[in-house]
Amino acid sequence: MPADRPRTLRAVAEELGVSAKTVSNAFSRPDQLSPQLRERVLATARRLGYPGPNPLAAGLRRGRVGAIGVAYDNGLSYAFDDPVAVALLAGASAVAEPAGAGLLLVPGSTDARRRLAAVHGAVVDGLVVCSLGDDDPLLAAAVARGLPLAVVDQPRPARLAALGAPGTPWVGVDDRTAAAAVAQHLLDLGHRRLAVVSFGLHAEPIERGLVGGEVQAAATYAVTRDRLAGYRDAVVRAGLDWSAVPVWHGEDSTPDVGAAGAEAVLAIDPAPTALLCLSDRLAEGALAVAGRRGLRVPEDLSVAGFDDAAPAAGLGLTTLRQPTREKGRAAAAALLDAIAGRPAPPPAVLPTELVVRTTTGPAPRS
């Protein structure tokens, strides 16, 4: 074979005197050939230096690339460190893998141009959008590109409709009702001095610190907005003043942020007897602070989380269980249906459950 002759599938076919489809099948559909013929094709390809069909080109010819994207608000390291994110990705993988689809993570970035470039350049058949803010340009870019979508948690369906994507499959929980159940648990235990440690209010972070009711209601993360509203609902029903409840927020959901929030609210006089943390990771940091301050949990301080992620049981954490792995499975299944042109299911509101463990107890008498 001349050295300048292109090393192509067709060249291998001509060398063997078989069809181009036969050569293609040797690589992608081996069950279509006898073992002897497939080995002849592969041996000839190796001799001629042909590496096999370009999977991207083959996918584009079919109109599919065999991968679904997962658009995530945070960086890749956060996605693999956070137990909730890991469970969600595991659920999505459990559906995608049997369907022959891979997963491509499209992580968040503080650089808006990089975020948009990641969506525009992602070689995927569709996107599972995970927990983006109402104003995140990443979602608008995905809608504008015309990719099939499925959304986990946020934005809510009404916001998706406003962005021009009505009927987009959505999977989540009723965060407001669930958060109210956690707050009610603490109120039933006699706690009247509550404080809240929250993750971010907006995709564009604002300075950490205490925030009032107007700022809370203006949060562009629907999950943050609704969980705070749920806490407020329970507090108001108990005849208490929500504006007297310190609400501290940080930029994300990590133990370090939870520790910073707990330090801030426990410095208030009189100190709270119970902390409502918007995630288990925040609660983990709050528990560490309680230990450093010599506070007994739950005798001196009760701490409640949200998620019931994998470490929660080991911490003895009272929390709100949500089916994170099922969210991933349901979103991936809905996306694969959308890619195949099947009708979109209605929004799926999954069940939650209050899990009472040892980090909450009756309010101290003093």
Side-chain angles (χ1 to χ4, degrees), residues 337-364:
D337 282 345
I339 291 168
R342 290 187 282 270
V349 181
L350 303 182
T352 57
E353 177 188 359
L354 177 66
V355 180
V356 178
R357 297 193 180 101
T358 59
T359 61
T360 55

Side-chain angles (χ1 to χ4, degrees), residues 71 83 111 237 246 317:
D111 186 323
R237 280 198 301 267
L317 182 64

Side-chain angles (χ1 to χ4, degrees), residues 310-329:
L315 294 169
L317 182 64
T318 292
T319 187
L320 196 291
R321 177 178 294 156
Q322 61 168 327
T324 304
R325 189 178 294 259
E326 180 56 32
K327 284 183 180 180
R329 283 195 290 262

